[in-house]
Amino acid sequence: MTAASGGERADARRNRAKMLSVASELFAEHELEVPLGEIARRAGVGAGTVYRHFPTKQALLEAVFVQHLEELVASGERRMVGFAPTQAFFGFLMHVVEKSGRRGHLCEVVAADASWPHPMLTASVQRFRQVLTALLQAAQRVGGVRADLSPDDVVAVAVGCTSMLTTRRDRAAGRRLVQLVLDGLRPSADVTERSVFRDDLVSSPGRVELCADCGVKLPLRPTGRPARYCGPTCRQRARRRRLAG
């Protein structure tokens, strides 16, 4: 092994890192319409250098997303050893949402195109889920997170929060909404006790409401207080009985 070959490999690594950084920023700013030639120009390398590392834009997109996931994995691992379980879990989720917000379209493209070869991406996704699961279970063991949550639930919440944060022009307001949603993952009697929503009553085919006076079937209403009587006559009759009693 010569010093020259070692220097060439170091240069190649630096070029690759520079191209990934530039591509990530350009894709975030201009979505996916950026040509590889523009990425080469911004990174200060030749077009041939880009094509040697990334023969197609799809390969570059996958590499950018893999780098994003690996950065999230590293963040999660640092939090596991540096913070209490509950703080580590919620801090990691907020970090995932904020860092993924600008890359939402990229995530959708990579996830939707099943024709790509994804060995590196698959491995990164698995590592991400392992870290997420470890953080979730540690927080659940100390009672900081609802016990009925699964890693799939948390991923779905994170995706929804990312979308919500992305669509808000006021970043601070969006972040507050995300925090409100994430607070719903904490154990709380107000959160975990199952209450009946008015829409649930309408959508439940087997549920029947009857007039408290005459027993006639009542129509279910999607909003407002549930009806107790079929009309004013039954309501007045029931009132007179209560007064008499």
Side-chain angles (χ1 to χ4, degrees), residues 161-234:
C161 286
T162 298
S163 177
M164 183 167 57
L165 184 62
T166 303
T167 56
R168 300 283 297 192
R169 291 188 177 182
D170 186 337
R171 187 79 175 180
R175 198 174 192 276
R176 176 179 173 274
L177 288 176
V178 170
Q179 290 173 331
L180 288 174
V181 172
L182 296 186
D183 279 343
L185 306 184
R186 300 178 187 273
S188 167
D190 293 335
V191 173
T192 55
E193 288 181 1
R194 177 73 170 105
S195 60
V196 178
F197 289 94
R198 188 60 38 213
D199 285 343
D200 291 342
L201 299 178
V202 174
S203 61
S204 301
R207 189 178 183 98
V208 177
E209 295 291 331
L210 304 178
C211 174
D213 184 70
C214 69
V216 170
K217 181 179 177 181
L218 300 174
L220 296 180
R221 298 186 297 186
T223 59
R225 296 177 59 185
R228 293 192 61 196
Y229 305 103
C230 61
T233 301
C234 288

Side-chain angles (χ1 to χ4, degrees), residues 44-103:
V45 301
T49 302
V50 175
Y51 283 103
R52 277 197 301 273
H53 286 273
F54 311 106
T56 64
K57 183 180 283 188
Q58 287 86 347
L60 179 56
L61 288 171
E62 183 175 355
V64 169
F65 194 39
V66 165
Q67 178 178 265
H68 171 59
L69 285 173
E70 292 300 329
E71 290 171 353
L72 295 180
V73 167
S75 171
E77 290 173 342
R78 289 193 298 270
R79 290 172 189 277
M80 278 193 284
V81 298
F83 296 91
T86 302
Q87 183 182 5
F89 172 75
F90 283 105
F92 177 66
L93 269 191
M94 197 69 200
H95 180 74
V96 168
V97 170
E98 291 184 323
K99 290 297 183 181
S100 301
R102 299 179 65 209
R103 296 180 173 88

Side-chain angles (χ1 to χ4, degrees), residues 85-139:
T86 302
Q87 183 182 5
F89 172 75
F90 283 105
F92 177 66
L93 269 191
M94 197 69 200
H95 180 74
V96 168
V97 170
E98 291 184 323
K99 290 297 183 181
S100 301
R102 299 179 65 209
R103 296 180 173 88
H105 58 277
L106 175 61
C107 301
E108 292 170 5
V109 170
V110 173
D113 190 346
S115 66
W116 294 7
H118 291 304
M120 292 179 60
L121 182 57
T122 299
S124 295
V125 170
Q126 289 175 345
R127 284 193 289 274
F128 174 80
R129 288 186 64 88
Q130 288 169 355
V131 169
L132 173 66
T133 301
L135 286 163
L136 170 63
Q137 292 177 347

